[in-house]
Structures are given as C-alpha cells and as structure tokens.
Amino acid sequence: MAGMLYVCATPIGNLEDITLRVLRVLKEVDVIAAEDTRQTAKLLNHYEIKTPLVSYHEHNKREKTPVLIKRMQEGESIALVTDAGTPAISDPGEELVRACYEADIAVTSLPGAAAVITALTLSGMKARRFTFEGFLPMDKKEREPVLARLAESTCTTVLYEAPHRLCRTLQVLQDAVGGKRKLAICKELTKRHETVLHFTVEEALLYFQEKEPKGEFVLVLEGEDEEKKKEKEQRQWQEMPLARHMELYQNQGMSKKEAMKQVAKDRGVSKRDIYGALLQNEEED
C-alpha cells in the first residue's frame, strides 16, 4: 500500500507551540521533508526526535517532488514541515500536496501554529472577513492588480514582509490605499519580545524610516470603510448621465422597470426619484 503525507504545523517561535499529535507523527514517519533541515534539526533535537531529514524547498521542489512521490508510492510515510508554522502557506508545500492528490496518495493536515492567524487575532482588527496575501509580488505588473484589490477591499488583509523590504512595501501600500488606513505591525510572534505596533500606514512608514526594521514582520491592514466605499461608488454613478445609466442595464436584457430599480440602488436614491428624473428628461426633450 502507498504511504501517506502528513502536513505538520511547527512552532513559529516558541518551541512549546506544537501539538502532541505532531510530535508523535514526526517520530513515526519514515522521513521528514523540511524547508530548511538545519532549522528543523533544532526542533527535532529539542524533542529528541531521530527521524531522518530531507530538504524540500523552493529551489529544489521540481526535482524533489517526484522523488518524494515515488517514496510514498513505495509505502513510506512522509511528514512535511516548513521553517515555522503551517506548510503550504507561502511556501512550496502546496505543490507536494497537489502532487500527492494527482498520484492518489493520502494526505492529512495536522493543525497548529500559523503566523497569519496569530497576527490577526493579536491585531485588534476585524476578523470576521479577512484576506491573506502573503508576500506582495516583487514584479510591478504582478503587484498592481493585488494593490488595486487592496484599495477597494472592505475586509482586513494580512501580509508577510522581510525587514529589508518593509519600508518599500509600506510606501507601496501608502500609494495604493492612502496613508490613513489603520495598520497593525506584528513581529517576534510567540517569542519573548513579541511586539504589536498600531499605526496608520503613513505613521508606520515614517516610524520605520527612522528606526531600522529587524525581524520578520506580519502586517494586518484594515479594510476600506464600507460606508465610505458605498458613498464613493454612488458619487461615481451619479456622475453618469441618467439615460446612459438606464441604457447600460437595458442593453443587458433588463426591462425598464428592472433597470430603474438597479439604477436607483446604484445612485442611492428611490425608484420614484429615477422615474421623476426620466419624465423630466423626456419633457425637456
């Protein structure tokens, strides 16, 4: 029978943040596929786990994925771990998981620490709806549509960033969403010097231009205010000539009555107001 892939969450800082189930599985599997074997070795040594390690990271995933798949097809079970936190989130683990499904190999995920959730719960931001963007794309063309979504999104967004890129990312965010959005910046999560700093985007940029960023950062950005967004959209619709607005929906197959209802909703007015304005336009014509 084929083996199995265990996606194992490991601590993001504090070594106590690991489940008993993960510790048991790390001891029982045939091999542990680690993003950084030196980093994982520290964890294994701490818990006196002797399971062999193999490297599996962004730069060797193409050659290593078929090798690991073959080993599981031959009956071995493999634990997948990342440097810290839950594999397959902003790391190549997702590709190994996908390859397992394509090869009919069983996969299970052992939950635990994840920086995105830890930062979100620490931030004080609205957490009912949130988006995780990971690291912003380096390429400007790839980054632009992401920033456009952030500018319009009304839900909280969580991002990761390295210290040497933090100021540049804060500048990019300020250009995209403005300087007044609230931002929680988290670092050293679960460690002794865990810190959560609350700023506006503009304040954060000024702060880190003066104080050199150190450590890995998680940024939690508030969404655009829903009422302000609605008012902005209504103003944009109100700038469109009424006849053209009606035509937009009637060309999509709506009846005049249905189009009037949608136009009224877009503009934030009553259907009676739209009906009266249309009559007035007809009289003037």
Side-chain angles (χ1 to χ4, degrees), residues 52-69:
L53 285 166
V54 296
S55 66
Y56 183 79
H57 50 72
E58 184 66 32
H59 304 294
N60 71 1
K61 62 185 180 182
R62 287 189 178 181
E63 61 188 66
K64 282 293 182 71
T65 296
V67 173
L68 295 177
I69 292 295

Side-chain angles (χ1 to χ4, degrees), residues 117-166:
I117 299 300
T118 305
L120 181 66
T121 56
L122 273 175
S123 69
M125 300 288 186
K126 294 179 180 178
R128 186 175 68 85
R129 293 171 55 242
F130 72 94
T131 300
F132 175 60
E133 288 290 351
F135 293 90
L136 286 177
M138 298 287 289
D139 183 79
K140 185 177 179 181
K141 287 185 178 179
E142 292 180 19
R143 190 168 62 238
E144 284 178 351
V146 176
L147 293 172
R149 288 200 304 271
L150 289 184
E152 295 296 323
S153 177
T154 57
C155 67
T156 300
T157 300
V158 184
L159 306 107
Y160 290 164
E161 196 47 274
H164 64 282
R165 292 196 301 261
L166 180 63

Side-chain angles (χ1 to χ4, degrees), residues 262-273:
Q262 186 59 49
V263 168
K265 183 179 178 180
D266 290 345
R267 292 174 177 247
V269 298
S270 69
K271 193 166 72 172
R272 181 177 296 179
D273 291 334

